[in-house]
Amino acid sequence: MAEPRSTEKAAKPKTAGRTLADLSLAAASAAAAQSQTTAAAQPQRDKFGRAYATGKRKNAVARVWIKSGTGKMTVNGRELNAYFARPALRMMINQPFQVSNRAGQFDIWCTVAGGGLSGQAGAVRHGISKAMTHYEPELRPVLKSHGFLTRDSRVVERKKYGRHKARRSHQFSKR
């Protein structure tokens, strides 16, 4: 009579079948990864003490420079309140400063092009968040947890031929 088969597999030790060269290569790659994380934690600033980043949203692209200061924001050569007149847009731009408790500590200078005002405000927020992580790398976990470092990739769907809009088809007429 045959014995029933066991469904359990014998556990192999993790180092079984590895040579000494494989283990040293794994240790070297772990050391390289550790050195990259310490290198990434260094602030990235130019000779003027500014951090630069590019933010994008829909079709808008914002180039953002950030440095320590009094909280002055300039967008395309105009004050923030003059360029973004709607309070909701200004609130959206100031969100990275609120969650990181850095309100009024940075001067922002940015140029933004493309899209509409809402997309431009989202691009400026994305650029400010990225520039803050370049200026102070320890802010990255806070900004990442609130979703400010993620590029919102939603864009308008293109219009297709034979349709009124991207998906809207012609209206049916019975007579």
Side-chain angles (χ1 to χ4, degrees):
M1 194 179 265
E3 292 183 24
R5 283 192 217 174
S6 174
T7 57
E8 298 177 22
K9 293 185 178 180
K12 291 182 181 177
K14 296 239 182 213
T15 57
R18 289 189 177 175
T19 63
L20 185 58
D22 292 339
L23 293 174
S24 64
L25 182 63
S29 65
Q34 178 66 25
S35 67
Q36 286 178 351
T37 56
T38 57
Q42 299 298 322
Q44 300 172 8
R45 301 179 194 154
D46 62 4
K47 62 182 179 181
F48 302 110
R50 302 176 301 187
Y52 169 78
T54 304
K56 295 181 180 181
R57 170 78 170 96
K58 293 186 179 179
N59 286 329
V61 179
R63 301 183 306 155
V64 178
W65 289 267
I66 187 172
K67 66 177 184 174
S68 61
T70 60
K72 180 182 176 189
M73 286 193 201
T74 307
V75 180
N76 289 350
R78 293 163 44 185
E79 290 295 320
L80 180 73
N81 295 342
Y83 195 84
F84 293 109
R86 283 188 274 173
L89 298 180
R90 290 195 303 264
M91 180 204 64
M92 180 169 44
I93 291 171
N94 286 319
Q95 282 175 341
F97 301 115
Q98 303 300 326
V99 299
S100 62
N101 295 323
R102 299 289 193 273
Q105 295 182 12
F106 293 110
D107 286 344
I108 309 294
W109 183 77
C110 66
T111 59
V112 63
L117 283 178
S118 177
Q120 287 183 352
V124 170
R125 180 179 79 173
H126 185 225
I128 287 172
S129 301
K130 284 173 62 176
M132 286 175 72
T133 60
H134 291 219
Y135 195 88
E136 289 185 56
E138 59 271 8
L139 294 178
R140 182 174 174 81
V142 174
L143 296 172
K144 182 77 173 169
S145 66
H146 284 84
F148 297 146
L149 297 178
T150 304
R151 192 255 202 250
D152 191 354
S153 60
R154 295 176 297 170
V155 293
V156 176
E157 189 175 351
R158 77 169 194 90
K159 183 191 178 304
K160 281 80 173 184
Y161 62 88
R163 304 241 172 213
H164 281 297
K165 293 168 56 175
R167 298 187 179 194
R168 167 117 166 69
S169 59
H170 295 289
Q171 183 172 356
F172 173 73
S173 173
K174 191 171 185 179
R175 287 174 189 81

